[in-house]
Amino acid sequence: MSFRSLFQTPPPDVALEIDHGHVGAARLVWRDNQAVVAAHAQEALPAGAVVPALAALNIADVPLVAKAVGRVLAELGSRPSRVALVVPDTVSKVSLLKLDKVPAKAADLQEIVRWQVRKSAPFPIEQAVLSISPGTPEADGSCEMVVSLARTDVIQQYEQACVMAGAEAGLVDIASFSVINAILAAPNGPTGAAPPRAASRGDWLLVHITGTYLTLAVMRDDSLLFFRHRGEVAEAALADLIHQTSMYYEDRLNGSGFARVLIAGGARLPGGAESVRRGLEQRLRMGVESVDPRTAAVLADRIGASPELLDVLTPLVGMLMREARVV
């Protein structure tokens, strides 16, 4: 046992998602080195209870949402004191920032990135919470960083709903990043042909659709190359975004074709995911698969696996598996 392990805070075993239409939660346990979803719960929210947005407060009645959070957490069995929190993509602006040299100190990196994104931020940088993750490293020592920017008071609303329900949100991430982590956590990675960090996986595309926004992310192995979301879910909006992304991928990223295209979230739409999948296959001229969280964490025997439930579980599993890999 190392000295670090004596004092390191263990990651939460419960993830919670607050979205525009529901609160969902899942508890993860480990059995013989296998991640297992041991319990889950979800509750619908009234219309307008959560309105995801970048530049405005999202929750008009925090105590109302907190009560829903409390009921969902109570259904998991023992109530957790800490949770990993998943929030909608549209509360955050995600950008890729290339740095010629990455500072060794985290504080210096924060200062440089804050200065770089100050002019393009949609609100004063002093009012922002900033998340920085390493992106694609280059041979010359430069690195493209993944930068997520959100208003502090917006994130605090989601965190306050957890606190009022008796749980601290020690970790916060957006939904599509959590979906990506669920894909990367699968033993065979996103292509089903190699370990998660093998260099041979190639390029792949994630299409994440919810009731209020759609997101496209282009990945090369486990590095993010492109990320864009729109607050529309109409078929025309998806077609437009797919076209823009494909052109950018080919012209600016020197893309040679996707090894795999995955769709998440579509099962909860009124028409289901099948029509969306067919449309994507026609436009991209290749098969499109649904993201299945069971490739990363199996479900306990009593849990049935409907497409709608799998869509709810995917970001929750991804959030918890991300923390398991970090530790």
Side-chain angles (χ1 to χ4, degrees), residues 18-19 50-58 85-96 113 117 120-123 125 127-133 145-156 158 172-178 212-216 224 227-231 322:
I18 302 176
D19 200 358
V50 176
V51 182
L54 178 65
L57 294 177
N58 289 194
L85 176 61
V86 179
V87 298
D89 290 3
T90 43
V91 310
S92 175
K93 178 184 177 182
V94 176
S95 56
L96 296 170
V113 171
V117 303
S120 61
F123 38 78
I125 197 69
Q127 301 174 7
V129 57
L130 195 68
S131 173
I132 307 169
S133 303
M145 312 300 291
V146 181
V147 181
S148 302
L149 194 71
R151 265 178 47 170
T152 301
D153 56 353
V154 169
I155 299 300
Q156 285 175 340
Y158 289 91
V172 183
D173 208 347
I174 59 174
S176 287
F177 283 177
S178 298
T212 57
Y213 65 86
L214 59 92
T215 296
L216 264 63
L224 183 68
F227 187 92
R228 182 172 297 172
H229 57 69
R230 291 181 59 172
R322 182 198 87 170

Side-chain angles (χ1 to χ4, degrees), residues 196-266:
R197 294 191 176 275
S200 60
R201 286 204 310 262
D203 299 347
W204 51 284
L205 172 68
L206 170 67
V207 181
H208 183 208
I209 305 176
T210 76
T212 57
Y213 65 86
L214 59 92
T215 296
L216 264 63
V218 176
M219 302 286 295
R220 178 160 293 160
D221 302 331
D222 55 5
S223 295
L224 183 68
L225 298 185
F226 174 92
F227 187 92
R228 182 172 297 172
H229 57 69
R230 291 181 59 172
E232 303 173 65
V233 293
E235 186 173 349
L238 177 57
D240 184 45
L241 193 56
I242 287 287
H243 175 74
Q244 294 175 9
T245 301
S246 298
M247 292 300 98
Y248 187 89
Y249 170 70
E250 294 172 3
D251 298 340
R252 300 291 296 275
L253 302 178
N254 299 317
S256 58
F258 295 121
R260 197 176 184 188
V261 178
L262 300 104
I263 183 173

Side-chain angles (χ1 to χ4, degrees), residues 2-10:
S2 68
F3 286 111
R4 183 184 178 193
S5 66
L6 289 172
F7 301 103
Q8 186 178 27
T9 302

